[in-house]
Amino acid sequence: MKTLNLSTLKLIVLAVIYFFSLTINAQNDNLNTTSRQGFMFEFSLGAGVISLEDSAGLQSFDDSQGAFTFPDFKFGYLLNDKLALTVSMPGMIYDVADFDRHFGGFVPSVQYWVKDCWWIHGGVGLALDSPALYDIKDGNKDWNFGCAVMASSGYEIYKKKNFALNIQSNVFMGRAFLDGDAHRDAVTFNLGLGFSWL
């Protein structure tokens, strides 16, 4: 009887493991596919940094603040399996002169799935600098508007039917116009967890 040497046996075991893993992975891919169609909704929670500078000299880009997202919301409609028209509402809370304020936006945008689990997203829209909803009081009542640009990317780590959980990052830049020809610029960067219904 012919015997197998150790290296041949290792090669056979590795080949069997490889083919089993391909089969299991193919089954998992079929179970986790999400049919993307119709309307979509997403909210995300996360943390990051916000850096502000205003023409009045109260803040400088040199002084960044750690912050939580507001949370961020996204509504949209899928034109096909890879492309969606959306409206995003990013934002972060920041502190100025002992008041809590929110710098965010209302941004019409486009989302595109480069791969089945990886998407990119961006748009241009309205910037909003307002009091935080829990800190509206005298001296912190003004609402300021301007222009904004946003870019984000995400990777879906879990999918089932019309639900997807993703890890995402977001960059948001805006300028809000204040009273007396002044302005406030903001740059935010955050990492978060997104909950999507597609």
Side-chain angles (χ1 to χ4, degrees):
M1 181 175 175
K2 191 173 181 181
T3 60
L4 296 173
N5 65 19
L6 191 56
S7 61
T8 307
L9 188 58
K10 284 181 183 177
L11 186 61
I12 292 171
V13 169
L14 287 175
V16 169
I17 291 172
Y18 175 73
F19 287 115
F20 274 123
S21 66
L22 286 178
T23 305
I24 291 169
N25 191 34
Q27 290 173 355
N28 285 341
D29 286 346
N30 290 336
L31 289 174
N32 290 334
T33 55
T34 303
S35 68
R36 292 188 285 262
Q37 58 186 359
F39 289 96
M40 66 177 285
F41 168 73
E42 178 181 292
F43 73 92
S44 64
L45 302 170
V49 292
I50 182 168
S51 200
L52 297 116
E53 184 168 279
D54 59 36
S55 57
L58 295 175
Q59 294 144 323
S60 165
F61 278 134
D62 297 332
D63 302 319
S64 297
Q65 302 176 26
F68 292 101
T69 56
F70 189 57
D72 294 346
F73 292 101
K74 186 193 305 176
F75 303 92
Y77 185 79
L78 288 132
L79 300 176
N80 58 46
D81 194 42
K82 289 188 169 281
L83 183 66
L85 297 178
T86 64
V87 172
S88 293
M89 291 178 276
M92 288 183 136
I93 303 293
Y94 70 95
D95 177 63
V96 58
D98 296 325
F99 294 119
D100 285 344
R101 295 187 59 79
H102 171 260
F103 201 104
F106 184 83
V107 183
S109 46
V110 174
Q111 182 165 322
Y112 181 74
W113 277 263
V114 179
K115 300 281 186 185
D116 186 49
C117 294
W118 174 45
W119 51 260
I120 55 176
H121 182 233
V124 176
L126 180 71
L128 172 64
D129 177 48
S130 64
L133 296 177
Y134 58 84
D135 198 20
I136 298 177
K137 53 191 171 189
D138 289 340
N140 193 32
K141 289 186 176 178
D142 54 325
W143 291 63
N144 309 302
F145 300 92
C147 52
V149 63
M150 178 213 62
S152 64
S153 181
Y155 188 82
E156 295 168 348
I157 56 174
Y158 175 79
K159 297 189 289 184
K160 186 152 187 178
K161 295 185 180 176
N162 65 340
F163 174 76
L165 179 67
N166 64 67
I167 297 173
Q168 60 182 259
S169 63
N170 185 317
V171 175
F172 175 77
M173 295 179 283
R175 170 172 282 189
F177 299 102
L178 312 175
D179 292 336
D181 292 329
H183 62 268
R184 178 173 293 137
D185 297 327
V187 177
T188 70
F189 173 77
N190 67 60
L191 294 171
L193 201 57
F195 304 85
S196 303
W197 287 266
L198 307 167

